[in-house]
Amino acid sequence: MNSIRIKDKQFVTFLPEEKILQAVRRVADDINRDLADTQPVFVSILNGAFMFTADLMKLITLPCEVSFTKVASYEGTSSTGRVKELIGLNTDIEGRTVVIVEDIIDTGHTMKALLETLRARRPKDIRIATLLLKPGKLQVDLQVDYVAMSIPNEFIVGYGLDYDGLGRNYRDIYVVQEETEENASN
Ligand code: IMP
Ligand code: MG
């Protein structure tokens, strides 16, 4: 098992690249089958989903578009108190089948807000494809159409996911190791 250190934390291999790619292939097969008669727009959520998006799109055989966006969240004056803005999404999704491509759904609040923002642009259909889901952390009612892998409530990095901006470049996924007195002193 490979071990890496990022800042104050130690991580160990959790999902090796070949396992990730197997799971990505399953999602691609499902999407190719389910959306066979459509020309979807894949909307990839930066930064975390960049690696998943690249591997997924290489396996999609449908005629499709791929667009990238960033979600900016700030306190607003609306009744919800929080406003999510999509930066850089310049594809017109009105009347289109949209597949959101996300790295991880944890509490689900980010995805819920994102769905509302995208729905306001009046697509015909919105599907969610996530590389990872933490079912034990989910706090909102969400229909997640495609889940490559479900994982326990632990913090992970690699394959696009970061710890404080670092670790996105690893091809495997690593899980944080509990601090014990032994490895705290190392
Ligand atoms: P949610 O709104 O709680 O679902 O948060 C989702 C966001 O939190 C993701 O898009 C990630 O940026 C971040 N996140 C949640 N869990 C992890 C993790 O285990 N590692 C790295 N980032 C995570
Ligand atoms: Mg993310």
Side-chain angles (χ1 to χ4, degrees), residues 11 45-49 82 84 102-112 132 134 137-140 142 151-158 160-164 168 174:
F11 294 84
I45 313 303
L46 295 173
N47 297 326
R82 275 182 107 198
K84 294 269 177 190
E102 177 62 300
D103 53 353
I104 187 163
I105 299 176
D106 189 271
T107 63
H109 289 298
T110 306
M111 184 54 76
K112 187 107 189 164
L132 299 159
K134 294 181 188 167
K137 292 280 284 286
L138 200 59
Q139 289 176 4
V140 297
L142 260 190
I151 60 168
N153 299 348
E154 306 210 64
F155 191 78
I156 50 139
V157 294
L161 290 116
D162 71 303
Y163 169 49
D164 212 7
R168 296 191 196 277
Y174 295 79

Side-chain angles (χ1 to χ4, degrees), residues 21-181:
L21 294 179
Q22 258 175 29
V24 172
R25 179 168 288 283
R26 276 198 302 276
V27 168
D29 289 346
D30 289 349
I31 292 175
N32 284 329
R33 185 198 58 226
D34 293 352
L35 303 184
D37 299 320
T38 70
Q39 189 170 304
V41 184
F42 289 84
V43 176
S44 170
I45 313 303
L46 295 173
N47 297 326
F50 80 96
M51 220 178 263
F52 173 41
T53 304
D55 284 334
L56 178 69
M57 295 319 302
K58 286 185 267 184
L59 298 166
I60 295 294
T61 51
L62 309 165
C64 63
E65 289 170 60
V66 191
S67 203
F68 294 85
T69 188
K70 251 190 152 151
V71 182
S73 86
Y74 53 92
E75 297 303 311
T77 52
S78 71
S79 56
T80 60
R82 275 182 107 198
V83 180
K84 294 269 177 190
E85 193 194 4
L86 293 177
I87 298 172
L89 183 62
N90 45 22
T91 309
D92 183 9
I93 61 167
E94 186 169 348
R96 304 288 306 273
T97 296
V98 171
V99 183
I100 303 174
V101 183
E102 177 62 300
D103 53 353
I104 187 163
I105 299 176
D106 189 271
T107 63
H109 289 298
T110 306
M111 184 54 76
K112 187 107 189 164
L114 189 56
L115 268 179
E116 278 161 26
T117 308
L118 283 170
R119 279 200 185 114
R121 299 186 183 208
R122 302 158 57 87
K124 181 174 162 215
D125 186 19
I126 305 185
R127 310 261 173 138
I128 301 172
T130 189
L131 176 71
L132 299 159
L133 173 73
K134 294 181 188 167
K137 292 280 284 286
L138 200 59
Q139 289 176 4
V140 297
D141 185 25
L142 260 190
Q143 185 194 322
V144 187
D145 305 275
Y146 307 102
V147 179
M149 295 167 291
S150 289
I151 60 168
N153 299 348
E154 306 210 64
F155 191 78
I156 50 139
V157 294
Y159 196 74
L161 290 116
D162 71 303
Y163 169 49
D164 212 7
L166 297 172
R168 296 191 196 277
N169 52 308
Y170 293 110
R171 53 180 63 228
D172 304 312
I173 290 176
Y174 295 79
V175 65
V176 72
Q177 247 185 342
E178 287 299 320
E179 276 292 300
T180 61
E181 271 179 47

